[in-house]
Amino acid sequence: NYLFAGLGETIAAFVFLTMLTFIGRRQGLVLSLGLSCIFFLLGMIPWQWTTVWSFERLMTMFAIVWVTVSFGLAYLYSAELAPTTHRGLVLSSCSIVARFAAFIGPFVREIFPNSSMKLGVNAFLAGSAALLALLLPETRMLPIPESAEDVSSRRKEQGLVNICG
């Protein structure tokens, strides 16, 4: 299992760098979250090959690769979305939420005893995050905003809803 986890992390690192270079932050985040949602949903198909390997295990490993890519993209993207004056507060708030989620994550096993329910919850969360990421502006090849007004003007230029007042 550790060999496959390490292989998945290595693949995720290469995919992460490729997405940053060629696709962009927003499209990369939406794509990686969407693919993780699809793989979690496919993992709900009951197909057992051996006593150890199943279709669920394979699809979950593919989904974890895309979740790892999503985490890296979201961390970088959140820093690029925030203006310089607010960047520290935004990143520390995101880190607090991530630590809280990492703390309660292992308890999901007790909340949802059925593996299909766990995969369904993960698919729902990844899919809804992908849809919400569509509301964010693209930051690829653009300067980092210095003030809240820069963020508002970027959203207007890209035809997105202004959320800064």
Side-chain angles (χ1 to χ4, degrees):
N1 284 344
Y2 291 117
L3 176 69
F4 290 116
L7 180 65
E9 293 287 329
T10 305
I11 292 169
F14 285 115
V15 171
F16 171 73
L17 292 174
T18 304
M19 282 191 163
L20 281 181
T21 305
F22 298 110
I23 297 177
R25 277 75 164 151
R26 185 176 78 166
Q27 286 85 2
L29 185 62
V30 169
L31 178 66
S32 60
L33 285 168
L35 286 173
S36 63
C37 175
I38 289 168
F39 283 125
F40 279 130
L41 288 173
L42 286 174
M44 297 170 74
I45 298 172
W47 186 16
Q48 190 77 26
W49 296 318
T50 65
T51 57
V52 176
W53 285 98
S54 65
F55 192 67
E56 175 186 351
R57 176 173 269 186
L58 183 65
M59 291 298 108
T60 303
M61 288 186 347
F62 287 146
I64 288 172
V65 168
W66 289 107
V67 167
T68 303
V69 171
S70 299
F71 182 79
L73 283 169
Y75 193 79
L76 178 68
Y77 194 33
S78 62
E80 291 181 353
L81 286 175
T84 303
T85 56
H86 299 83
R87 193 164 297 123
L89 177 66
V90 168
L91 281 178
S92 61
S93 299
C94 291
S95 294
I96 289 170
V97 171
R99 292 286 181 181
F100 180 72
F103 176 73
I104 63 170
F107 296 110
V108 172
R109 183 176 183 200
E110 281 77 31
I111 296 171
F112 302 110
N114 187 355
S115 66
S116 293
M117 291 175 64
K118 292 179 224 175
L119 293 171
V121 168
N122 286 332
F124 172 76
L125 292 174
S128 59
L131 292 175
L132 287 173
L134 289 171
L135 300 174
L136 298 172
E138 179 58 65
T139 61
R140 182 173 177 243
M141 306 297 280
L142 294 174
I144 294 177
E146 297 293 326
S147 65
E149 290 79 25
D150 293 343
V151 174
S152 295
S153 64
R154 181 178 291 172
R155 292 185 67 80
K156 286 179 186 175
E157 289 170 7
Q158 294 184 9
L160 300 170
V161 178
N162 186 8
I163 59 172
C164 294

